[in-house]
Amino acid sequence: GEYATIDHHRRLRCGFPEVVFGLNKTAEHIEGILRVMKRQGEGCLVTRVDPEAAEHLKRAFPEGEHNPVGRTFRIRREGPEPEKLGVVRIVTAGTSDLPVAEEARATAEAWNCDVALVADVGVAGIHRLFGRLDELRGADVLVAVAGMEAALPSVLGGLTDCPIVGVPTSVGYGAHFNGLASLLGMLNSCSSNVVTVNIDAGFNGGHVAALIARR
Amino acid sequence: GEYATIDHHRRLRCGFPEVVFGLNKTAEHIEGILRVMKRQGEGCLVTRVDPEAAEHLKRAFPEGEHNPVGRTFRIRREGPEPEKLGVVRIVTAGTSDLPVAEEARATAEAWNCDVALVADVGVAGIHRLFGRLDELRGADVLVAVAGMEAALPSVLGGLTDCPIVGVPTSVGYGAHFNGLASLLGMLNSCSSNVVTVNIDAGFNGGHVAALIARR
Amino acid sequence: GEYATIDHHRRLRCGFPEVVFGLNKTAEHIEGILRVMKRQGEGCLVTRVDPEAAEHLKRAFPEGEHNPVGRTFRIRREGPEPEKLGVVRIVTAGTSDLPVAEEARATAEAWNCDVALVADVGVAGIHRLFGRLDELRGADVLVAVAGMEAALPSVLGGLTDCPIVGVPTSVGYGAHFNGLASLLGMLNSCSSNVVTVNIDAGFNGGHVAALIARR
Amino acid sequence: GEYATIDHHRRLRCGFPEVVFGLNKTAEHIEGILRVMKRQGEGCLVTRVDPEAAEHLKRAFPEGEHNPVGRTFRIRREGPEPEKLGVVRIVTAGTSDLPVAEEARATAEAWNCDVALVADVGVAGIHRLFGRLDELRGADVLVAVAGMEAALPSVLGGLTDCPIVGVPTSVGYGAHFNGLASLLGMLNSCSSNVVTVNIDAGFNGGHVAALIARR
Amino acid sequence: GEYATIDHHRRLRCGFPEVVFGLNKTAEHIEGILRVMKRQGEGCLVTRVDPEAAEHLKRAFPEGEHNPVGRTFRIRREGPEPEKLGVVRIVTAGTSDLPVAEEARATAEAWNCDVALVADVGVAGIHRLFGRLDELRGADVLVAVAGMEAALPSVLGGLTDCPIVGVPTSVGYGAHFNGLASLLGMLNSCSSNVVTVNIDAGFNGGHVAALIARR
Amino acid sequence: GEYATIDHHRRLRCGFPEVVFGLNKTAEHIEGILRVMKRQGEGCLVTRVDPEAAEHLKRAFPEGEHNPVGRTFRIRREGPEPEKLGVVRIVTAGTSDLPVAEEARATAEAWNCDVALVADVGVAGIHRLFGRLDELRGADVLVAVAGMEAALPSVLGGLTDCPIVGVPTSVGYGAHFNGLASLLGMLNSCSSNVVTVNIDAGFNGGHVAALIARR
Amino acid sequence: GEYATIDHHRRLRCGFPEVVFGLNKTAEHIEGILRVMKRQGEGCLVTRVDPEAAEHLKRAFPEGEHNPVGRTFRIRREGPEPEKLGVVRIVTAGTSDLPVAEEARATAEAWNCDVALVADVGVAGIHRLFGRLDELRGADVLVAVAGMEAALPSVLGGLTDCPIVGVPTSVGYGAHFNGLASLLGMLNSCSSNVVTVNIDAGFNGGHVAALIARR
Amino acid sequence: GEYATIDHHRRLRCGFPEVVFGLNKTAEHIEGILRVMKRQGEGCLVTRVDPEAAEHLKRAFPEGEHNPVGRTFRIRREGPEPEKLGVVRIVTAGTSDLPVAEEARATAEAWNCDVALVADVGVAGIHRLFGRLDELRGADVLVAVAGMEAALPSVLGGLTDCPIVGVPTSVGYGAHFNGLASLLGMLNSCSSNVVTVNIDAGFNGGHVAALIARR
Ligand SMILES: Nc1ncnc2c1ncn2[C@@H]1O[C@H](COP(=O)(O)O)[C@@H](O)[C@H]1O
Ligand SMILES: Nc1ncnc2c1ncn2[C@@H]1O[C@H](COP(=O)(O)O)[C@@H](O)[C@H]1O
Ligand SMILES: Nc1ncnc2c1ncn2[C@@H]1O[C@H](COP(=O)(O)O)[C@@H](O)[C@H]1O
Ligand SMILES: Nc1ncnc2c1ncn2[C@@H]1O[C@H](COP(=O)(O)O)[C@@H](O)[C@H]1O
Ligand SMILES: [Mg+2]
Ligand SMILES: [Mg+2]
Ligand SMILES: [Mg+2]
Ligand SMILES: [Mg+2]
Ligand SMILES: [Mg+2]
Ligand SMILES: [Mg+2]
Ligand SMILES: [Mg+2]
Ligand SMILES: [Mg+2]
């Protein structure tokens, strides 16, 4: 119609199909977009799917996979599962950061990476992190998801030589200013292998981690 | 004169003599204040003394002690050195945080505490901190001085059960916004034993640490 | 499970058990955590408990104590009541600051301090404060809870020689910017014995006051 | 010339002649304006006069009065001194606030008020203020000049029934953000007789205080 | 009780009884406070009364006066109406500023002033203001209530020689930032007879205007 | 060389030659660029020329025209003067706004418009503006240059039916925040014919005014 | 009544009738205003009409035109359709920017321009924009509506020689700060033919575009 | 000494030697650090070297390489040049962004990557970018350095499938707020392959690009 100028060539140009940003779209609208993409033989990923839309999509596409914590919905491309292209490890500071971390996980998995998640190992009890460093070995890239003062990527950055994609979250209150404190913390990290994406941007974190890992 | 309403009873009321804030005061003006306080039998501390004023004060009071990094000038109270009243340990993330840390040290020493400093153990190389934890044992209070993302008090906070006085510094650039990033980091620390003072406020950090330590 | 990395050793390391942050947790989830902690012989404190969760917890743990203003729920450790370890006095500027002050009170009481509260003695009617100074005498530490321009800790700071933990609140409107004005007021206090915690952070204020008082 | 559209009728319309804002004007330019105003029989006030311009003006107008702290230059209207029209009292929190307070004093004096100043009675040593309340009695209006957390107008506001004109100053550092903290403190005062002018705006404070006092 | 430290002497000290800030108080709580004040022979004013509380109060005090736009409830002091003490004129830029302006009006009327209001004469159609200047003549003080760019007090300030109390409102959107734009506009007014109170603070504007007018 | 990718086709694409932004360029560097452009038969305009660079350029190009207030340097295209393409009128609130206004004037003149300037008619003395409205009649577009609260474009906007390009300036202090107050004022103008450019962006204001006027 | 000072002469003065800002007005209130305007022979435009008010207005004025995406309601002036006065083209970066773009479209159409819209051609897939440049040719002015980083007007600005009215939208999250990021992007555009209006201000964008186009 | 806790094992842990941040260090201090690192057989990189320090270092280490635009000083590790490990391409929007871009270039070269730079191809003349896309092909990662509205990484992001490291610069004025506008632009990029580092952080950009490229 008049209002949408779809970007069909994105896979050709960028190596990935377009991802549907579910926020503010009706379930019917999302369903329509997915039907078109499926017809073109693409797998598809939808982010920011609310619970009602997820129910609708699960009925419409029973083969789809819903990640209720990460708020994603995925339909795999048909054919045999392709081999994994790189290793992404996702780390969270607290349990409240999980929705953002799961969004990152679902994205990197859709982009065909070997992904695992280590949760709730923030720096206020840093032995928790040290006890699980083994699970991070071999990673091509780390995604560090943290709210509050967001010190996690700085600590990780000093312990490893791989790039760290910091995803600040809005978890906090008062002088946290909806994620600003976490964002500034990551941008000013004294570990120079830390890069930053937008507040709560789990999709961006997972996407760029996959891009880095597949190199 | 008309313009100054001196607070002579502060030692009685608060347990400490007033401290002279040297910024924007002429060397002669500071000298005058110190002469009055000395006459009253008080020891005195001046903070934010610039190098020229320090030269002037060293000539006027040869018994005075100048801390050129911390920018302080101190004249001890006459009589035997009193015994130490508590243990303060000061920790810095980087070497650029030293002027603020030394201001804290000079203040806590003037308040008669047992003070020591561990410098340049920021979280980007966290083994440096772990290698020196011994020096922090037995502290009644820690002062954590840090710029950039200021993750140090959070990490310290999880390793100890004593109060941590965080002093954010203006060390950083760009999105550091002259210390705002460090300040927000400390205010949002996930370690709940962290309290915060103003940016670059080494005097306040050392002062309140001494108050806590002497209890 | 995969998602939670519990910090069981906190009492050993830090002297206090972990505190459950009730916000965004279901009543059932909180109940589960409390059952585990109780089994380990720990007392427990939950903060930010909403009224429905409180009803649930009161049914599940009839021995628990609910502070409805402070939004806390506490289960005491079994055995005889330990003796008080220090004196904490909490002061509020207005009646609207009470929820934050009660959160601080419940925390410092759980940490076994002698705690009392003086409410609604803000500086616009400063005789109210002077009339109740007696109740503050003997304190090891004061917690000053204030919204609006938050001048209370500055005035208290000049009247006493103990540390003042300032807790800025979001009480105010317009150019208060949800607590920013109160926070900046405390950080810039001309009384150098004032330290600051996050906006509305009654838990942090009470926790660190207890740490200071028990020294 | 083309560039200036002078406002000759201001005295008629507003009761005061225009005041020359000296900042960024050459001494010669200021001299020229003063010569025109003098020719029209007006007294004149110049604010924000730097020391060099002041020397120039003192040579050009030996009858002029220079307030070096307040950075003003005044030429009185010829004729007998008119009687005082109202009572303005100016109070400062610290000695560093004096330049702003003196600018207010010079302005209110030029507007023919009975003016006096009480300096350095900030709330960190509130007995200093109570010791000098006598000097404030009988005031039609108070001007409270304060930096740092700027609690002074709130305390004054509760002690008196006259309007308080708060002038926040840029005295402070770190999270003071060049006066923002003081400004927000005054705007959020819990004393409802406080109004606020711009940061460091001694002229505005003195001007509006005179307007109020002469009613 | 423990929680409220009432300020009974405010009329003696300040000339006015305390005003009840209705926000976040239950209707029953407000009723209780009013009963106490009435018993003491005081008139009373409540601000920020929501519609349900107003219904309750009208039933409890049939002699009370409810201003539904200004959200105030007033009970007059018994005895003959005192004579008016000064002239306050309130001006608004738009119709959306009326709730704040009516709060100011109700306050200044309760403080016994001669009050009138000129609405919707903002500067985008400045002839509307010029057509009603007559109604402003004779004012001891003007209250200018404006949102958006809040240019009204600047224009008024140049047309009159009386003090202008600017009340910025949160009327606007986008880069208005909930009143910040209006607040900064008033603080930076090129008319030096403008003073400012907090965003949406109609009570403060009316209160201080009454203080100025009764001189 | 490697570092500059010059935009030679701008006149073809956009109707104007590129303008040289003089800030941070050496006089020799600017001279070199101008020689290239001259060789291509273009007229040229340089903005933000500091006094030393201007002296250099005047020696190098004696036919050039230097606007010392507006900080521009212009070399006209050879050939007969083209006829004027539209009417631009520039208005300033104060004399301190002149450098920005002159930059706008020089730009619109270089773009071949009929330009005139009305200075120092800010709203604190609004009769000054009314006395000069005649000079604005017939304009295709107005450029309103203002600092402080920047109310001028709002007032102009209600008096005319042409577009108003608002140029906020950094003229102000304290809560002006280097032009932020003026910028927000213009963005929130209640006159809907006002558009805004960057703070102090006289070039942008004059450029877009010329684009509008020549339609 | 007392509260509204209607601006009847706006068409005479400014060439357009006043537009009704529907936000916070009851449907009945809007209907009343429209009846008055209709009686005066004016066409009318209402913006920010919510769905319920729209239903009411459609019943009251069956000849009215409701734009449900743009949230406008328009009643045409009686008589033959006037000829189009200029060409406005509106471009959006994403589909979420459509409500703002449709508000601009409805406004420019009501002002009698030839208007068309090109949607969803943001710079992350810039070939979409290049594929539709034809539809922009011949425009007197472009309106560029964009959220996120709002790069669209900068790219458009380099491709055309007409003025670009940038309308930043609040589409984004996290560090978008409700439109601030888009606003700053447009204000700092390196394309000097870009001017900016308030965040989400579709009405202002369409209005000023019409003013420019009709010249 | 007491003050420095050197991180000798960084190459082992992280794959790179520590980099010396030259800002606020004396030339002698830098020389000393370099002598130690050289003795350990490390190559070394110093960033933020001012011109005087560079002269000193060039005399002390004639084999060193000074990048005067990028403000770096490098001493290569002895032995044969290692082979290149990955392809980094750096792109700048304007010529003023070059110092930051050269800092990135020098860093990525020191980390042994194949690096090239394409300068001054910002989006206001987007044909300049299209004309040089060939030079970007084959890159493992792009570094996009841009001030003003910083639209460059968004456009690049849509044209390629590799990660884009955005480095916002402080190039701009007024509402650019020293780089904030560029930073927000990049964080809100609609191209999801963009990550961001601190304002003017050329070192961080080059460092992380090298980390990504060598995978
Ligand atoms: N470096 C500092 N930072 C902040 N406050 C200080 C500092 N040094 C001294 N002070 C405070 O400043 C007061 C003295 O200020 P003054 O009267 O201006 O000399 C002392 O009572 C201290 O509380
Ligand atoms: N009201 C509160 N505000 C801030 N932090 C809290 C609060 N209550 C508990 N905490 C902290 O939150 C941690 C537990 O978080 P969680 O694992 O999410 O339950 C505890 O260790 C406390 O340090
Ligand atoms: N609308 C209002 N805005 C700001 N302050 C108010 C308002 N109404 C009353 N107040 C102030 O709030 C005080 C009473 O607060 P409270 O004790 O919470 O009822 C009064 O003394 C007034 O100074
Ligand atoms: N004073 C100014 N403010 C903002 N942009 C300018 C100014 N002068 C010139 N420009 C723009 O800067 C571009 C040239 O920048 P440069 O390549 O650095 O010389 C021109 O195309 C103009 O669009
Ligand atoms: Mg946890
Ligand atoms: Mg170091
Ligand atoms: Mg009260
Ligand atoms: Mg003092
Ligand atoms: Mg109106
Ligand atoms: Mg003037
Ligand atoms: Mg799209
Ligand atoms: Mg260029």
Side-chain angles (χ1 to χ4, degrees), chain F residues 44-101:
Chain F
C44 338
L45 181 68
V46 193
T47 66
R48 303 290 167 108
V49 184
D50 63 40
E52 296 77 48
E55 286 315 307
H56 179 100
L57 294 176
K58 278 151 74 174
R59 277 191 306 272
F61 305 97
E63 75 278 26
E65 295 158 44
H66 179 219
N67 178 329
V69 175
R71 298 151 302 160
T72 57
F73 188 81
R74 177 186 177 191
I75 301 177
R76 289 177 195 260
R77 221 178 171 179
E78 273 163 45
E81 187 74 354
E83 61 169 330
K84 298 298 185 207
L85 290 172
V87 178
V88 174
R89 292 292 172 264
I90 301 172
V91 191
T92 83
T95 51
S96 307
D97 301 316
L98 273 169
V100 176

Side-chain angles (χ1 to χ4, degrees), chain G residues 70-141:
Chain G
R71 298 151 302 162
T72 58
F73 189 81
R74 176 185 176 193
I75 302 176
R76 288 175 197 260
R77 219 177 173 181
E78 273 163 46
E81 187 74 356
E83 63 171 326
K84 297 298 184 206
L85 289 173
V87 177
V88 173
R89 292 291 172 263
I90 301 172
V91 191
T92 84
T95 51
S96 307
D97 302 316
L98 273 170
V100 176
E102 284 289 336
E103 189 184 28
R105 182 217 286 259
T107 303
E109 279 175 359
W111 287 182
N112 218 20
C113 292
D114 167 355
V115 188
L117 189 131
V118 174
D120 200 20
V121 293
V123 303
I126 207 168
H127 64 286
R128 296 180 298 181
L129 174 61
F130 290 129
R132 301 188 66 182
L133 285 179
D134 272 5
E135 302 176 41
L136 307 182
R137 277 193 229 298
D140 291 306
V141 61

Side-chain angles (χ1 to χ4, degrees), chain C residues 124 149, chain D residues 142 144 150-158 160 162-168 182-183 185-197, chain E residues 165 195-198 201 204-205 207-208 211:
Chain C
E149 84 282 54
Chain D
L142 297 181
L152 185 61
S154 291
V155 172
L156 282 174
T160 176
C162 72
I164 317 276
V165 179
V167 186
S182 298
L183 174 66
M186 291 187 184
L187 286 169
N188 287 285
S189 176
C190 54
S191 291
S192 41
N193 47 347
V194 175
V195 293
T196 308
V197 296
Chain E
V165 180
V195 293
T196 308
V197 296
N198 195 6
N204 298 261
H207 175 72
V208 85
L211 287 183

Side-chain angles (χ1 to χ4, degrees), chain B residues 108-191:
Chain B
E109 279 175 359
W111 287 181
N112 217 21
C113 293
D114 167 355
V115 189
L117 189 132
V118 174
D120 200 20
V121 294
V123 303
I126 207 167
H127 63 286
R128 295 179 300 181
L129 174 61
F130 290 129
R132 301 189 66 181
L133 284 180
D134 272 5
E135 302 175 41
L136 307 182
R137 277 193 229 298
D140 291 306
V141 62
L142 298 181
V143 180
V145 183
M148 313 285 286
E149 85 281 53
L152 184 61
S154 292
V155 171
L156 282 173
L159 296 170
T160 176
D161 67 337
C162 72
I164 317 275
V165 180
V167 187
T169 72
S170 54
V171 171
Y173 63 85
H176 196 253
F177 299 123
N178 304 312
L180 179 66
S182 298
L183 173 66
L184 295 185
M186 291 187 183
L187 287 169
N188 287 284
S189 177
C190 53
S191 292

Side-chain angles (χ1 to χ4, degrees), chain C residues 37-57:
Chain C
M37 294 178 82
K38 246 190 99 171
R39 216 172 305 135
Q40 296 169 339
E42 291 289 4
C44 340
L45 181 68
V46 193
T47 65
R48 304 288 167 108
V49 184
D50 62 41
E52 296 77 48
E55 287 316 307
H56 178 100
L57 295 176

Side-chain angles (χ1 to χ4, degrees), chain A residues 95-96 120 173, chain B residues 190 192, chain C residues 10 18-21 25 47-48 103 203-204:
Chain A
T95 51
S96 307
D120 200 20
Y173 62 83
Chain B
C190 53
S192 42
Chain C
R10 189 166 296 188
E18 206 174 0
V19 172
V20 182
F21 186 46
K25 295 206 174 69
T47 65
R48 304 288 167 108
E103 189 184 28
F203 164 69
N204 298 261

